[in-house]
Amino acid sequence: MSKPADAQSLTLTTADGYPIAALRYPAAGPTRGHLVVAGATGVPQGFYRRFAQYASSCGYNVMTLDYRGIGLSKPATLKGFRMDYLDWGRQDLAAAVDTMSEPGLPLYMVGHSYGGHAFGLLPNHDKVDGLYTFATGAGWHGWMPPMERLRVLLMWRVLGPLIVRVKGYLAWNWMGMGEDLPVDVYRQWKRWCTFPRYFFQDPDMKHIAESYESVRSPIMACNALDDLWARPPSRNAFMSAYRNAGWQATDIDPRQAGLGPIGHMGYFKAHCKPLWEGALGWLEQHGRIRPASPSR
């Protein structure tokens, strides 16, 4: 394993013209492939720095990004900012995939929560040779244990509406839960979390299943048993939409694995490095193999 190089800042331009702030971590030593990190809702790209550095030290060119309205990709004010939650996948991640795709080298994606949702939204998912996603679930409160269920319902039904009325967006920072969210992300997310299978059961979203059914890339979905937001039944409820991808699942018992608490956010913290090793190993073993570039 080589020492990772410093990250390089760049701006991606999406198909609809939105500028996306990204960081590229160059591979240390011979390049084994490319990797895009698809982050969770309301989580800035800096959160994934340690994982990106680790993957780059293993020979991967790694890209992280801030979705529109988040981190370095947000406007001066979120009040009045309008967007579609699905654009994080259809536009922002799609631009990262196009940028990182290179003939003759594999391109993988590692997702976190929303990152597992976003893969089926990509118009260019065929360019990705494998997805390993952590903490992806359907978001429905009914999949959560009783006390967490009450806490989430309080957020959706009481605190969230009050904050949005005052601020014009979901000031998640006020609740210590992450980056502030654009109002459209809040409204769409809230609606879809009322369904056990997320937006697949939304009568207005019947068309979306086709995009997920078209995915053929290998997928592994990893969930920790102490992750209250994305327990295995919640994961299975969402991931079943990738029915033609032959997706697999693995459950992590943090105590048995000797990792300490993981929850919904711990997968990318330093103590979970064994999970990173497992993810890269799985992708190398199960990802699709691309033919080498023709010689010139």
Side-chain angles (χ1 to χ4, degrees), residues 196-267:
R197 292 194 62 239
Y198 203 58
F199 48 41
F200 299 111
Q201 289 181 301
D202 184 342
D204 296 333
M205 298 290 291
K206 290 180 180 179
H207 60 285
I208 204 166
E210 296 178 10
S211 179
Y212 287 77
E213 291 169 0
S214 69
V215 173
R216 298 293 191 278
S217 304
I219 299 174
M220 172 62 81
C222 175
N223 294 65
L225 297 182
D226 68 341
D227 184 343
L228 304 183
W229 277 37
R231 301 169 101 189
S234 178
R235 172 199 59 211
N236 298 343
F238 188 92
M239 297 300 295
S240 61
Y242 291 107
R243 61 193 187 109
N244 294 316
W247 67 278
Q248 302 174 47
T250 185
D251 301 334
I252 302 296
D253 184 330
R255 290 185 180 178
Q256 269 191 352
L259 296 175
I262 296 177
H264 195 63
M265 300 299 294
Y267 303 88

Side-chain angles (χ1 to χ4, degrees), residues 1-8 23-37 51-64 100 102 105-110 129-130 276-288:
M1 186 181 298
S2 303
K3 182 180 178 180
D6 292 335
Q8 304 163 349
L23 290 170
R24 181 173 177 141
Y25 296 78
T31 302
R32 299 163 72 175
H34 301 310
L35 181 68
V36 173
V37 178
F51 169 74
Q53 290 175 329
Y54 170 76
S56 71
S57 74
C58 294
Y60 288 93
N61 290 311
V62 183
M63 177 172 286
T64 63
M100 294 295 281
E102 179 183 347
L105 282 173
L107 171 60
Y108 301 127
M109 182 173 288
V110 169
D129 299 299
W276 309 347
E277 297 170 351
L280 295 184
W282 187 91
L283 288 167
E284 289 181 353
Q285 183 178 356
H286 296 275
R288 293 182 303 189

